[in-house]
Amino acid sequence: MENPRDLAERPCRKRRDSFGMLDGFEEDRSSCSTESSGGSGASSPEDSDEEELGGGGGSHYNPSSSSSLTLIKTNGQVYTYPDGKAGMATCEMCGMVGVRDAFYSKTKRFCSVSCSRSYSSNSKKASILARLQGKPPTKKAKVLQKQPLMTKLAAYAQHQANQHGGVKKSITVEVFDWGRYLEDVEATGAPVDCFKHVPMGRSWGDISEGVRVEVTNTDSGLPMKVYWIAGIIKLAGFKALMRYEGFDGDSTRDFWLNLCVPDIHPVGWCAAGGKPLVPPQTILHRITNWKTFLIKRLTGSKTLPQDFPSKVQESLQVPFMKQMRVEVVDKTHLCRTRVALVEQVIGGRLRLVYEECDDGSDDFWCHMYSPLIHSIGWSRSIGHRFKRSDVSKKLSVQLDAPGQLFAKVKEVDQSGSWFEDTMKLEAIDPLNLSAICVATVRKVLADGYLMIGIDGSEAADGSDWFCYHSMSPSIFPAGFCEINNIELTPPRGYSNLPFRWFEYLKESKSLAAPVNLFNKEVPNHGFCPGMKLEAVDLMEPRLVCVATVTRIVHRLLRIHFDGWEDEYDQWVDCESSDLYPVGWCQLTGYQLQPPAVTAGSRELQSASKQRKKSQQYKGQKKKRKLPVAKRPVSISGTIVTGISRSISGDENETPPNYPSPPTPAAPPPPS
């Protein structure tokens, strides 16, 4: 067999210019480069000269300043494939398709030396992930690539079906298409910098329409992986509508991409890394000199910062780890907290299992910056009720989560005029988040915390009192709803309607909490009515759903879950950690619940048991009857039947665990 080094030293037949383009690719688009298909080509530092101008979220690229790169190494042969398969090979490690004779080893099983060496240790895991994903994983993420929850549950449901029924039957997994949905409803997505708690939320910078990047060319007609330059036409959260350079006003080949996933690079990446830059074959005939075309188009244009991919990976790190202990609200008794263990961490969202639970079924989902979780000892420090755990001894693998990992609240001065017991106010009902209700301060705790009860609906033992901080955006002074034209929910059984605060205070012989004690800060959040986003259904907090901002009152957002009736809307603060930009689920591997009218495949639904809509807090509040299942409606308002809102898969089985993230340095929590 010929030595690969000898092949690399042969005179090459094609030359790659400063853009990474192949000279003469018009004459022979079927020839493949060993370096390109194997990904092992590299240029010397002197071969490219890239300048980064300006700062913030982008950099400018000057193609005329780059000199020619080294020659492309090739085996000097041109292959033709009458049947489309002869002479081709697929790498058993990374799935790359290329010319068989250009592959490594006698058996031609691998496209490069690195794939051959990695195969022995990683082949089993890589094969499993490739089958779960339905396509070959990228080389740099063969084993560590996370799978979306829908994919895992589908594979898990398939496994269970095979075990119990003994019949092999394929299960189709449908992934929600944000791009098509945004175009169908003619909507926009909320910008990433509206969400400070998400990856890149504080580093999004100047990424905007017109920014150009290098992406995979899916219209090359070549068996090898090649790239081309595309520009951002429209932004929607992490997703961007892209158009290949050269299509100009032609939108027939436009496509949506998540800007934070791999294989999206700044302009100049192909030239620096020896990757082929090839125009789409659809427009190949339009330009005679593509190099001159690119120099003219790209000089002075904005691209992604060179460190953008590394910033994305850094921002995806989460400081919480499995088996960390925290205090979290008791979902059966709102008035107290319990110790829980971190069982799963996905994109900053935590699945917490209460410490006394042995089988993991008694769990609770929330974000790591949620006001519902605290460090061990928090309840005792402020005088909050706490349920002691029956677990007598902490396991060695369990660790109390450090206090600096939790969201900080604003310090307040309680020495002067302050909240007092029996003072009246308005508050978002945690058992019905679509309602703002008449409420009462039941107990004043330390550090600015208050125990609140909903008038007319309180349990006799106070088990449904809930804790809000005095600076919480979920409590308001009396009269807030009237001033802002929001329907205020009066106490249950109150007959003197319409409700008027003056008369109610007089009848109840109580005082309204002073207006100056409430949080009046309204940040420049950037949300607008009609914007799309991904939002947690706080009545079933493990679900993240397609949602719309329908109304904005100061810092308060009215969130509507697409495909569901308005009665299930929720009032959420603009800085809530339960709101995410379009594409967040795809980026983190969390399952996104589509609108009811576009729910997942019938086969996958039949494999799962129907789960009714349940409340977030399952306390003893029986008087307020909330519906147990939402009725989905179409965009036109027509009620849709026969579609349940639940995560696909067997609800009685524990889904596969996600891999634990590496332990990073703790990021500063939002202030």
Side-chain angles (χ1 to χ4, degrees), residues 429 431-432 457 492 539 567-568 615 621-629:
D429 183 357
L431 290 181
N432 182 8
S457 301
R492 177 176 290 276
M539 305 307 291
E567 62 180 292
Y568 301 103
Q615 299 177 5
K621 187 174 289 188
K622 302 296 183 183
K623 294 182 180 180
R624 278 183 289 165
K625 294 182 180 179
L626 298 179
V628 295

Side-chain angles (χ1 to χ4, degrees), residues 122-163:
N122 292 337
S123 60
K124 185 176 181 180
K125 293 182 179 179
S127 176
I128 293 172
L129 288 182
R131 288 186 177 91
L132 282 176
Q133 192 181 18
K135 60 182 181 180
T138 58
K139 286 187 178 181
K140 293 185 179 180
K142 308 178 190 71
V143 176
L144 300 180
Q145 187 172 11
K146 294 182 179 179
Q147 303 301 309
L149 183 57
M150 175 74 85
T151 307
K152 286 192 171 186
L153 289 175
Y156 187 72
Q158 178 72 73
H159 173 69
Q160 293 296 318
N162 292 344
Q163 278 192 335

Side-chain angles (χ1 to χ4, degrees), residues 278-537:
V278 179
Q281 61 179 355
T282 303
I283 58 171
L284 186 61
H285 63 281
R286 298 184 185 179
I287 307 294
T288 56
N289 190 328
W290 282 100
K291 181 176 179 180
T292 303
F293 170 81
L294 287 183
I295 291 176
K296 183 178 179 180
R297 284 292 183 91
L298 299 181
T299 300
S301 64
K302 183 181 290 187
T303 186
L304 296 178
Q306 298 300 315
D307 60 349
F308 184 79
S310 61
K311 281 186 176 181
V312 171
Q313 293 304 313
E314 181 181 348
S315 66
L316 284 170
Q317 305 305 311
V318 177
F320 279 88
M321 298 182 296
K322 289 184 65 174
Q323 296 302 306
M324 277 188 170
R325 301 170 77 243
V326 300
E327 287 186 12
V328 64
V329 65
D330 186 344
K331 63 182 181 181
T332 60
H333 294 79
L334 300 184
C335 63
R336 69 188 185 190
T337 57
R338 297 166 63 183
V339 173
L341 300 175
V342 177
E343 182 63 27
Q344 284 179 270
V345 184
I346 310 174
R349 290 191 60 76
L350 312 177
R351 176 174 173 255
L352 306 173
V353 175
Y354 291 111
E355 194 170 47
E356 305 95 303
C357 179
D358 295 328
D359 59 1
S361 60
D362 194 7
D363 60 357
F364 185 88
W365 279 93
C366 66
H367 192 271
M368 62 181 179
Y369 292 147
S370 169
L372 299 178
I373 62 170
H374 310 276
S375 58
I376 298 295
W378 172 84
S379 298
R380 182 177 182 180
S381 68
I382 69 163
H384 194 284
R385 289 178 63 181
F386 175 76
K387 180 186 178 183
R388 294 186 179 276
S389 173
D390 296 333
V391 179
S392 59
K393 189 175 181 180
K394 184 171 66 174
L395 300 178
S396 58
V397 295
Q398 297 174 358
L399 172 70
D400 293 350
Q404 65 268 22
L405 301 186
F406 299 87
K408 301 295 185 295
V409 294
K410 185 177 180 180
E411 294 184 3
V412 294
D413 182 10
Q414 299 182 219
S415 60
S417 174
W418 193 243
F419 290 95
E420 298 177 5
D421 293 358
T422 73
M423 278 186 172
K424 301 292 183 180
L425 42 74
E426 299 176 5
I428 297 177
D429 183 357
L431 290 181
N432 182 8
L433 293 161
S434 65
I436 300 179
C437 306
V438 176
T440 303
V441 177
R442 290 304 178 190
K443 187 178 181 181
V444 178
L445 307 178
D447 296 342
Y449 287 95
L450 309 170
M451 295 302 297
I452 307 292
I454 300 296
D455 285 19
S457 301
E458 297 177 60
D461 59 356
S463 61
D464 55 357
W465 293 354
F466 47 92
C467 184
Y468 277 147
H469 192 267
S470 59
M471 292 291 103
S472 169
S474 298
I475 59 174
F476 318 94
F480 173 84
C481 286
E482 182 179 0
I483 293 173
N484 293 285
N485 195 27
I486 300 174
E487 182 181 358
L488 177 65
T489 303
R492 177 176 290 276
Y494 185 72
S495 57
N496 190 8
L497 301 176
F499 179 86
R500 300 186 186 281
W501 265 112
F502 178 79
E503 296 176 358
Y504 182 69
L505 292 173
K506 185 177 180 180
E507 293 172 4
S508 60
K509 298 180 181 180
S510 54
L511 298 175
V515 176
N516 64 296
L517 298 181
F518 294 85
N519 182 9
K520 295 181 286 294
E521 180 184 358
V522 180
N524 184 20
H525 48 69
F527 287 102
C528 295
M531 283 183 170
K532 299 291 183 182
L533 69 164
E534 299 174 2
V536 174
D537 181 354

Side-chain angles (χ1 to χ4, degrees), residues 603-619:
E603 280 188 293
L604 197 54
Q605 288 180 0
S606 62
S608 65
K609 295 183 179 179
Q610 303 298 322
R611 175 164 180 166
K612 292 184 178 181
K613 189 71 179 169
S614 61
Q615 299 177 5
Q616 174 181 357
Y617 301 110
K618 303 172 183 176

